[in-house]
Amino acid sequence: MNFICTKTELQEAISIAQKAITGKSSMPILNGLLITTCKNQIKLTGSDIDLSIETKINAEIKEEGSVVVDSRLFGEIIRKLPNDNINISTTENNSIEIICQKSKFNLIHMNAEDFPEIPNINENIIFLIPQKILKDMIKSTIFAAAQDETRPILTGILFEIKDKKLNLVALDGYRLALKSEYLNTENIINAVIPEKTLSEVSKILEDNDKNVNITFTPNHILFNLDNTKIISRLLEGEFIKYNSIIPDEFNLQVTAKREELLSCIERASLMAKDSNTNLIKLEIEENNMIITSNSQLGMVREELNILLQGDTLKIAFNSKYLIDVLKIMDEEEIIMKFSSSVSPCVIKNKDKDNCTYLVLPVRLLNN
Amino acid sequence: MNFICTKTELQEAISIAQKAITGKSSMPILNGLLITTCKNQIKLTGSDIDLSIETKINAEIKEEGSVVVDSRLFGEIIRKLPNDNINISTTENNSIEIICQKSKFNLIHMNAEDFPEIPNINENIIFLIPQKILKDMIKSTIFAAAQDETRPILTGILFEIKDKKLNLVALDGYRLALKSEYLNTENIINAVIPEKTLSEVSKILEDNDKNVNITFTPNHILFNLDNTKIISRLLEGEFIKYNSIIPDEFNLQVTAKREELLSCIERASLMAKDSNTNLIKLEIEENNMIITSNSQLGMVREELNILLQGDTLKIAFNSKYLIDVLKIMDEEEIIMKFSSSVSPCVIKNKDKDNCTYLVLPVRLLNN
């Protein structure tokens, strides 16, 4: 193997392919980056078996071949090299030689044959969605995925395609996040993607209108962006029928300024931090919401103007769940709908109806 | 106690006084911030006994008094409040009430009498030095102070005033840093300041020409900046006679571009990271310096143009010590002076002669 490429492109490609590598594997080959030549380009691949990322850059190929190098060390070396052309070639003793200006590195490599095979995916049926829209959909839902593994399916995010819509859904037993966008397709898909995959995908997606192509197989999803392919296994099993969880009738509806409400809850939660429950209490009155919290350290009372339609209510929450939602939403005004102090609260934007958040209240003994 | 002040000033003052608080104390009072009213002002004091910081801001005092509040929680509350006037007053049940717009906090307080006494320092003899010069002197030397406590005196930095100069000196047995600046005084002082104190002082000092007043007592140093006073105990004992360590005769002198040399050494050290010694080898030839390093992972060879006066030399270093020095220096060209592969290397700026760095080489068996 022998090729020349630019430092800038190589550094960028390493940082993309590295996103699949957890760095925690006890198998050295999984901490490695596969470098393969392919006419006029080199391909870098990182993989932790569940998730693989491959990306291509232009290169002048002098001799074909492929090797695996330690991802972290190779990345650090390239990053520290001067901004110029880099020549990389295999030498004897299972090494590669990296030459850039007057710098010369010899680095032990591993064998390309030992690298895990990347699933070959037939891109027959593809869905197109602008990068920035998918990026936003992931950001709007990923925080609600379950962190613990008691129900593994909930550690993933549901990709549901039906009725010309793509719905992303995450839920963890305490809260739910649903974001929907138009998708020009008659197909129907139900797939659950690991949270780790989408977290890395959202870092690679750019804030622009260029499309990302998505392909599903029974076991895998492929995100195809120009020079980069991200392939992930799907989670096995059936996702929860989320529609049956979201109530559609309510006894009261509150309209509030999102940032003001967020500030009040964040301050109230400072006192609640003492305990694990982050407990805050909401008293919803005619034109006011009063938020209180107390602990051994003291107490806090916040008050904000709201618009109430329907009954008054006293209800308690884990403040973290409300803060997560209010931080991620982007409209100036939001709507909260309630039925009772023991029923879920549904939060939506006041204007655009493309997201739904649900938070379960905390049941108080003396309510 | 009852006063009104602005959120911005209070937040700024908390962040200054908090710098004395380690947050690790098992005595709750040492995690506390002392608030004291004094005509038209309030004074905030943080202390870990060795180091105390007090700072004043304007306030409308309605009732005099003093309390101690948990520094972290109080700081977080003030930071999250709206940008407006804040009213703080004592209430029953050992609490203070914090009111800002529609937010109301009640916070348990501790007793001001339990707060450690801050040494009262007679400011008879003061030394004046511009803030940015002292800040730079600290930054230029502090990294060389000893981290381990085997010789406690070396965990501090020597403040030596003599011959109308202030010298700051740090050394840890492997390297030494000395920075000197003119000081308009006939006095002679020798005091060793704990590294932690100077680290916090340098964060509070600003990058401007305003003077900081420095006062010494046999056991303490006081830095006085307008509204803020920083009082620290001195380390006990005699500092090492650093002048006898710095050689004044050499067999060769190298002139090199600082940033280029730094880049070469940083790259070479990537291969050296495998071991604890960060070992790199320098071959100093007529117009070239060749830097090499190797480990189980591979090897590296760097080459840079230099100007050599004197003999050629092969010498080895812990790369970390050279990197620390080259990063902190600011001139484009530097000078390195050597005598042999087992004698210290002295590094200076090519032009301005106000700093001296010394690094001990690593002795190689097969040199």
Side-chain angles (χ1 to χ4, degrees):
Chain A
M1 189 187 73
N2 190 342
F3 64 86
I4 296 171
C5 65
T6 68
K7 175 239 163 95
T8 331
E9 281 184 276
L10 184 56
Q11 183 179 338
E12 169 72 15
I14 293 170
S15 92
I16 291 176
Q18 263 180 347
K19 291 193 165 54
I21 301 172
T22 58
K24 292 174 197 151
S25 177
S26 53
M27 291 169 65
I29 196 85
L30 293 187
N31 297 323
L33 212 51
L34 172 66
I35 309 177
T36 317
T37 59
C38 35
K39 55 169 182 175
N40 300 329
Q41 290 193 309
I42 56 160
K43 184 169 78 180
L44 299 188
T45 312
S47 176
D48 77 344
I49 299 183
D50 286 342
L51 170 65
S52 304
I53 302 178
E54 48 180 58
T55 189
K56 289 179 180 175
I57 57 167
N58 292 328
E60 181 191 330
I61 310 296
K62 297 184 161 182
E63 190 190 322
E64 309 227 316
S66 57
V67 297
V68 176
V69 290
D70 181 79
S71 155
R72 195 189 52 76
L73 181 59
F74 184 67
E76 281 186 22
I77 290 171
I78 302 304
R79 193 165 56 84
K80 291 275 188 188
L81 284 175
N83 201 350
D84 204 340
N85 281 336
I86 299 178
N87 181 203
I88 297 181
S89 58
T90 43
T91 61
E92 51 197 9
N93 301 326
N94 291 320
S95 291
I96 58 165
E97 189 173 74
I98 306 169
I99 298 179
C100 180
Q101 290 179 3
K102 290 192 203 167
S103 300
K104 192 169 93 178
F105 282 84
N106 286 78
L107 199 63
I108 302 291
H109 70 72
M110 296 172 268
N111 289 327
E113 299 82 55
D114 299 335
F115 200 79
E117 194 136 351
I118 309 303
N120 197 0
I121 289 177
N122 180 332
E123 297 186 51
N124 268 346
I125 305 175
I126 59 169
F127 302 91
L128 299 179
I129 185 165
Q131 295 198 27
K132 76 170 177 196
I133 289 189
L134 182 59
K135 193 180 173 94
D136 177 61
M137 292 182 81
I138 294 173
K139 193 189 80 174
S140 302
T141 49
I142 198 166
F143 68 90
Q147 295 303 308
D148 72 80
E149 298 270 345
T150 354
R151 296 186 66 182
I153 194 80
L154 296 186
T155 63
I157 285 118
L158 174 67
F159 263 58
E160 178 188 56
I161 300 177
K162 66 173 185 188
D163 306 335
K164 293 210 168 208
K165 278 210 296 199
L166 168 63
N167 301 317
L168 260 60
V169 187
L171 67 97
D172 70 357
Y174 303 101
R175 63 318 204 359
L176 172 152
L178 158 64
K179 184 108 185 186
S180 308
E181 294 287 350
Y182 169 78
L183 202 65
N184 184 16
T185 175
E186 300 296 339
N187 284 287
I188 293 177
I189 294 278
N190 245 287
V192 184
I193 327 280
E195 184 264 354
K196 150 95 176 135
T197 298
L198 290 184
S199 163
E200 300 306 335
V201 166
S202 78
K203 288 177 202 157
I204 295 172
L205 289 170
E206 292 180 19
D207 262 324
N208 63 30
D209 291 323
K210 277 207 271 180
N211 279 322
V212 44
N213 297 354
I214 305 178
T215 303
F216 293 90
T217 73
N219 297 313
H220 288 92
I221 185 169
L222 161 67
F223 298 89
N224 196 337
L225 298 95
D226 291 344
N227 296 314
T228 301
K229 288 186 182 192
I230 305 160
I231 300 129
S232 166
R233 76 175 170 91
L234 302 176
L235 291 183
E236 281 172 36
E238 194 78 24
F239 203 74
I240 282 171
K241 302 227 174 312
Y242 69 91
N243 267 316
S244 63
I245 296 174
I246 306 172
D248 44 17
E249 287 187 14
F250 302 92
N251 292 328
L252 65 151
Q253 172 173 323
V254 166
T255 308
K257 293 229 165 26
R258 184 177 62 85
E259 288 193 2
E260 199 180 334
L261 178 60
L262 176 59
S263 295
C264 288
I265 296 178
E266 282 183 328
R267 285 194 294 269
S269 75
L270 291 177
M271 280 302 177
K273 268 189 187 163
D274 201 25
S275 62
N276 282 324
T277 56
N278 299 310
L279 191 75
I280 59 165
K281 293 179 199 171
L282 274 53
E283 275 182 66
I284 300 166
E285 299 171 350
E286 193 56 50
N287 296 308
N288 270 330
M289 186 187 290
I290 292 156
I291 303 170
T292 56
S293 178
N294 55 62
S295 70
Q296 290 175 321
L297 302 168
M299 55 192 185
V300 49
R301 181 186 191 278
E302 294 281 340
E303 193 179 322
L304 81 158
N305 291 333
I306 55 156
L307 178 70
L308 171 64
Q309 292 163 281
D311 306 341
T312 62
L313 180 71
K314 289 184 186 179
I315 189 168
F317 287 100
N318 179 331
S319 60
K320 179 187 180 325
Y321 296 148
L322 292 179
I323 290 172
D324 282 350
V325 169
L326 294 171
K327 268 191 177 163
I328 220 72
M329 295 178 79
D330 49 14
E331 280 196 14
E332 200 184 328
E333 287 192 294
I334 55 128
I335 285 172
M336 304 173 83
K337 298 177 184 182
F338 307 83
S339 283
S340 75
S341 66
V342 292
S343 327
C345 161
V346 167
I347 308 174
K348 285 170 168 279
N349 282 321
K350 181 159 174 253
D351 295 327
K352 204 172 169 201
D353 184 29
N354 64 347
C355 65
T356 303
Y357 295 100
L358 178 149
V359 179
L360 288 188
V362 177
R363 197 186 288 246
L364 293 182
L365 288 176
N366 56 349
N367 219 2
Chain B
M1 189 187 71
N2 189 343
F3 65 85
I4 296 172
C5 64
T6 69
K7 174 236 161 94
T8 331
E9 280 184 276
L10 183 55
Q11 183 179 337
E12 170 72 16
I14 293 170
S15 94
I16 291 175
Q18 262 180 347
K19 290 192 167 51
I21 301 172
T22 59
K24 292 174 196 150
S25 177
S26 54
M27 291 169 65
I29 197 84
L30 292 188
N31 297 322
L33 213 50
L34 172 67
I35 309 176
T36 317
T37 58
C38 34
K39 57 168 181 179
N40 301 328
Q41 290 193 309
I42 57 160
K43 183 169 78 179
L44 298 188
T45 312
S47 176
D48 77 345
I49 298 183
D50 286 343
L51 170 66
S52 304
I53 302 178
E54 48 180 59
T55 188
K56 289 179 180 176
I57 57 168
N58 292 329
E60 181 190 332
I61 311 295
K62 297 183 160 183
E63 191 190 321
E64 308 225 320
S66 57
V67 296
V68 177
V69 291
D70 181 81
S71 156
R72 198 189 50 77
L73 181 59
F74 184 66
E76 280 186 22
I77 290 171
I78 301 304
R79 193 164 56 84
K80 292 274 188 191
L81 284 175
N83 201 349
D84 204 341
N85 281 336
I86 299 178
N87 182 204
I88 296 180
S89 58
T90 44
T91 61
E92 50 196 13
N93 300 324
N94 291 321
S95 290
I96 59 165
E97 187 173 74
I98 307 169
I99 298 178
C100 180
Q101 290 181 2
K102 290 192 202 165
S103 300
K104 193 170 92 179
F105 282 84
N106 286 78
L107 199 64
I108 304 289
H109 71 73
M110 296 171 270
N111 289 328
E113 299 81 55
D114 300 335
F115 199 78
E117 194 136 349
I118 309 303
N120 198 0
I121 290 179
N122 180 333
E123 298 186 50
N124 268 346
I125 304 175
I126 59 170
F127 303 92
L128 300 179
I129 185 165
Q131 295 199 26
K132 74 170 178 195
I133 287 186
L134 182 59
K135 193 180 172 93
D136 177 61
M137 291 183 81
I138 295 173
K139 192 188 79 174
S140 301
T141 48
I142 198 168
F143 68 90
Q147 295 302 308
D148 73 78
E149 298 272 345
T150 354
R151 296 186 64 182
I153 193 83
L154 295 187
T155 64
I157 286 118
L158 173 68
F159 263 58
E160 178 188 55
I161 300 177
K162 66 172 185 190
D163 305 335
K164 293 209 167 208
K165 278 209 298 196
L166 169 63
N167 301 317
L168 261 59
V169 187
L171 67 97
D172 69 357
Y174 303 102
R175 60 323 200 0
L176 173 152
L178 158 66
K179 184 110 186 183
S180 308
E181 295 286 351
Y182 170 78
L183 202 65
N184 184 16
T185 176
E186 301 295 339
N187 283 287
I188 293 178
I189 294 279
N190 245 287
V192 183
I193 328 280
E195 184 264 356
K196 152 95 175 136
T197 298
L198 290 184
S199 163
E200 301 307 335
V201 166
S202 80
K203 289 177 202 157
I204 295 171
L205 289 171
E206 291 179 21
D207 262 326
N208 63 30
D209 292 324
K210 278 207 269 181
N211 278 324
V212 43
N213 298 354
I214 304 178
T215 304
F216 294 89
T217 74
N219 297 314
H220 289 92
I221 184 169
L222 161 68
F223 298 90
N224 197 338
L225 297 95
D226 290 344
N227 296 315
T228 300
K229 287 186 183 193
I230 305 160
I231 300 127
S232 167
R233 75 172 173 94
L234 301 176
L235 291 182
E236 280 171 36
E238 194 78 23
F239 203 72
I240 284 173
K241 303 228 173 312
Y242 68 92
N243 267 318
S244 63
I245 297 175
I246 305 173
D248 45 16
E249 287 188 14
F250 302 93
N251 292 326
L252 64 151
Q253 172 172 325
V254 166
T255 309
K257 292 229 164 26
R258 184 178 62 86
E259 288 194 0
E260 199 180 335
L261 178 60
L262 176 59
S263 295
C264 287
I265 295 178
E266 282 184 327
R267 285 194 293 269
S269 74
L270 291 176
M271 280 301 176
K273 268 190 187 162
D274 201 24
S275 62
N276 282 325
T277 55
N278 299 310
L279 190 75
I280 59 164
K281 293 179 199 170
L282 273 53
E283 274 183 66
I284 299 165
E285 299 171 351
E286 192 55 50
N287 295 308
N288 270 329
M289 186 187 290
I290 293 158
I291 303 170
T292 56
S293 179
N294 56 60
S295 71
Q296 290 175 322
L297 302 168
M299 54 193 187
V300 50
R301 181 185 192 278
E302 295 281 340
E303 193 178 323
L304 82 157
N305 292 333
I306 56 155
L307 178 70
L308 171 64
Q309 292 162 282
D311 306 340
T312 62
L313 180 71
K314 288 185 186 180
I315 189 168
F317 288 99
N318 179 332
S319 61
K320 180 186 179 323
Y321 297 148
L322 291 179
I323 290 172
D324 282 350
V325 169
L326 293 171
K327 269 192 176 162
I328 221 72
M329 295 178 78
D330 50 12
E331 280 196 15
E332 200 184 328
E333 288 192 292
I334 56 127
I335 285 172
M336 304 173 83
K337 297 177 184 183
F338 306 85
S339 284
S340 75
S341 66
V342 294
S343 328
C345 161
V346 167
I347 308 174
K348 286 171 168 278
N349 281 320
K350 182 160 172 254
D351 295 328
K352 203 172 171 202
D353 185 30
N354 64 346
C355 66
T356 303
Y357 296 99
L358 178 148
V359 178
L360 288 189
V362 177
R363 196 186 288 247
L364 293 182
L365 287 177
N366 57 349
N367 220 2

